[in-house]
Amino acid sequence: MRGTLKRLAAVLVAGVGVIGLATTPAQAATVITAHLEIGFNTGVPAARTINLNVHVPMNEYDANGYLIHGARIQVRFYGSDPGTDTMIYGPVTWYKDDYGLTAGPDGIRLDYGWEVPQGSFLNEDSGWGNNGDEVYIVAKFIDGDGATISAESNIEEGIY
């Protein structure tokens, strides 16, 4: 009888351990990085290429869970100026099924690029002569419950 009780106790402890593992909550997203690259399209002289790279590191299981439950990445473009940085474009928001937003082994990634004509929204100093433009993005990861983390990218300088 004593041996049976010990085996039953061992099975119960093992079962509780398995249930505990199965109900472990997702790791909260706490880190985000953002990178902006603005280049020139060699085929169209006046076009500018914009490439956004945003990364929220976590495991793939949690990344998929976040996206399935409404997480998104939102990007705003800013002009870097002395005193106040004016928002020049956005917000642009990517959801689970939007092109460029993926969940993978290293977390959630937004890799997105497009072309804009010269003189577009990237020309953030248009009223100040031809002094050049300084543009950066603020990327936000917003989970399904509305919790937010954000990061600023590098500043890209040029005449856009």
Side-chain angles (χ1 to χ4, degrees), residues 87-113:
M87 186 178 73
I88 56 176
Y89 188 73
V92 182
T93 305
W94 285 263
Y95 292 87
K96 178 176 81 70
D97 293 326
D98 290 338
Y99 179 77
L101 185 62
T102 59
D106 63 344
I108 297 172
R109 285 197 174 271
L110 172 63
D111 292 311
Y112 192 81

Side-chain angles (χ1 to χ4, degrees), residues 19 62 102 105:
I19 291 170
D62 288 344
T102 59

Side-chain angles (χ1 to χ4, degrees), residues 26-123:
Q27 183 67 34
T30 58
V31 177
I32 182 173
T33 60
H35 182 76
L36 172 65
E37 184 178 313
I38 301 173
F40 300 94
N41 181 334
T42 56
V44 182
R48 302 294 181 256
T49 59
I50 302 171
N51 291 301
L52 307 175
N53 304 102
V54 180
H55 181 217
V56 183
M58 64 184 68
N59 67 54
E60 187 169 8
Y61 179 82
D62 288 344
N64 279 302
Y66 269 114
L67 293 181
I68 288 168
H69 290 98
R72 58 210 176 269
I73 291 180
Q74 188 176 81
V75 174
R76 288 180 168 89
F77 288 78
Y78 289 86
S80 179
D81 291 310
T84 301
D85 291 353
T86 306
M87 186 178 73
I88 56 176
Y89 188 73
V92 182
T93 305
W94 285 263
Y95 292 87
K96 178 176 81 70
D97 293 326
D98 290 338
Y99 179 77
L101 185 62
T102 59
D106 63 344
I108 297 172
R109 285 197 174 271
L110 172 63
D111 292 311
Y112 192 81
W114 75 98
E115 288 185 0
V116 297
Q118 183 172 351
S120 66
F121 71 90
L122 294 173
N123 185 6

